[in-house]
Amino acid sequence: MSTGLTPVKPPENELLIITGMSGAGRTTAAHALEDLGWYVVEGLPPELITTVMDLISRHPGSVEKLAVVVDVRTRRLFTGILEALAQVRAAGITYRMLFLDASDDLLVRRFEQGRRPHPLQGSGRILDGISAERELLSETKAKAEIVVDTTDLNVHGLAKAISDLFVDDGPIQLRMNVMSFGFKYGVPADANFVADVRFVANPHWVPELRPLTGLDTQVSDYVMNNEGVGEFIARYVEALQPVLEGYRRENKHYGTIAVGCTGGKHRSVAIAEELARRLDQMPNVVVNTIHRDLGRE
């Protein structure tokens, strides 16, 4: 059993079973694994694990990393978890088990703050439900390869701990969306950063460029040759570097940079393309380019 945070990179196609005390952070752990590229199934009765694995085996390459969250919310079905896992082993399926735990005091506070009953408390107190769950899970915890105590971890701390345990070799990749848009259609609601490039001369007023878009070389050259544009992009990328490093420290894997001009056809498109090109050259950054309003005029 491991209680530290030594990386435990699993073999390809290995199954990870996530279980533990209610309120100890199973959902947070599941979301952190999804950010790392795992396919996560929550609330699955243990008896269905082999069924899911059989389904995946029929589609080779469809799922390389599967995590299954099982917990006492399945009530009577959960009592068969050890028998179900024995069947998984007998079927030749390799798995690891991650068990999340926390102190009784902390679990009580979390349930009180959420104003929800413990799934096993019945007509008793929250602490009664926690005690019943500990007894039910005692043997399961003893068989877990990885145990993480979340008592002193907040949501971000737990997500980082899971990333430290299960991230592939090398730094976490950041997935950045670079989106062009037109201000007259509204600022994207999901933008983490907004760059206003309406300071650039508008190709719309050049008759031969008006029907073209920022994806066309003539427009792109016109925009990029405007005074101050090159410096703007260079400084913007430079300013983003400590932000992206901060994202990694805070276990944030996604971000959206919105680049806006009036209509989202010329300037924002050309500059978004160049910004995406430069970001894509940064280590461990994966860039997706979106032109939200292109074609709306």
Side-chain angles (χ1 to χ4, degrees):
M1 180 185 300
S2 170
T3 56
L5 296 180
T6 302
V8 288
K9 181 184 176 183
E12 187 177 0
N13 296 323
E14 186 192 22
L15 170 67
L16 177 67
I17 308 293
I18 305 173
T19 188
M21 296 295 295
S22 299
R26 290 188 306 260
T27 299
T28 298
H31 291 168
L33 286 168
E34 286 180 337
D35 287 341
L36 294 175
W38 288 69
Y39 183 79
V40 180
V41 180
E42 296 192 60
L44 187 73
E47 287 83 353
L48 295 182
I49 293 175
T50 53
T51 302
V52 173
M53 294 301 293
D54 180 62
L55 178 63
I56 291 174
S57 68
R58 299 178 191 175
H59 304 277
S62 60
V63 177
E64 294 183 356
K65 302 176 183 179
L66 174 67
V68 176
V69 182
V70 294
D71 55 70
V72 297
R73 288 176 297 177
T74 54
R75 305 292 174 139
R76 293 181 181 178
L77 293 175
F78 184 82
T79 59
I81 183 172
L82 295 178
E83 291 82 357
L85 292 179
Q87 293 176 5
V88 172
R89 291 278 195 206
I93 300 171
T94 302
Y95 71 84
R96 291 177 185 266
M97 189 186 303
L98 167 64
F99 191 99
L100 299 173
D101 203 352
S103 69
D104 287 0
D105 289 343
L106 180 69
L107 294 176
V108 169
R109 288 201 301 272
R110 287 177 178 173
F111 277 103
E112 288 179 341
Q113 291 170 358
R115 298 183 180 181
R116 299 188 66 183
H118 187 281
L120 296 184
Q121 77 178 71
S123 59
R125 302 173 302 161
I126 293 175
L127 194 57
D128 295 329
I130 292 173
S131 298
E133 186 176 27
R134 283 207 185 281
E135 182 177 355
L136 180 62
L137 292 176
S138 60
E139 190 174 355
T140 303
K141 179 179 178 180
K143 292 182 178 297
E145 289 84 2
I146 312 151
V147 177
V148 176
D149 190 322
T150 69
T151 302
D152 298 320
L153 298 175
N154 59 20
V155 172
H156 301 294
L158 175 55
K160 184 179 186 304
I162 296 301
S163 293
D164 289 343
L165 281 166
F166 295 102
V167 69
D168 291 337
D169 291 339
I172 296 173
Q173 287 190 330
L174 299 178
R175 303 176 189 176
M176 300 300 297
N177 292 317
V178 179
M179 177 189 299
S180 68
F181 74 95
F183 275 98
K184 70 179 182 180
Y185 301 115
V187 177
D190 58 345
N192 301 102
F193 309 94
V194 177
D196 184 349
V197 299
R198 290 176 292 186
F199 70 91
V200 181
N202 195 347
H204 175 81
W205 303 115
V206 180
E208 61 269 26
L209 298 181
R210 181 177 300 179
L212 304 178
T213 75
L215 296 176
D216 293 301
T217 302
Q218 302 95 310
V219 174
S220 178
D221 289 345
Y222 178 89
V223 170
M224 296 305 300
N225 287 329
N226 262 253
E227 184 178 357
V229 172
E231 182 181 5
F232 167 78
I233 295 175
R235 291 192 177 187
Y236 200 85
V237 171
E238 183 181 1
L240 283 172
Q241 288 177 348
V243 175
L244 300 185
E245 289 304 316
Y247 273 21
R248 288 192 177 91
R249 288 193 300 271
E250 293 300 314
N251 206 50
K252 182 177 174 64
H253 300 260
Y254 306 93
T256 297
I257 303 169
V259 182
C261 62
T262 304
K265 179 180 179 180
H266 294 113
R267 295 167 290 180
S268 62
V269 173
I271 292 176
E273 286 287 322
E274 178 61 19
L275 182 59
R277 186 187 67 81
R278 298 196 190 190
L279 288 175
D280 197 47
Q281 294 175 349
M282 298 175 65
N284 304 303
V285 177
V286 178
V287 181
N288 179 43
T289 308
I290 305 167
H291 300 300
R292 190 193 70 175
D293 298 324
L294 196 60
R296 293 188 66 170
E297 290 187 349

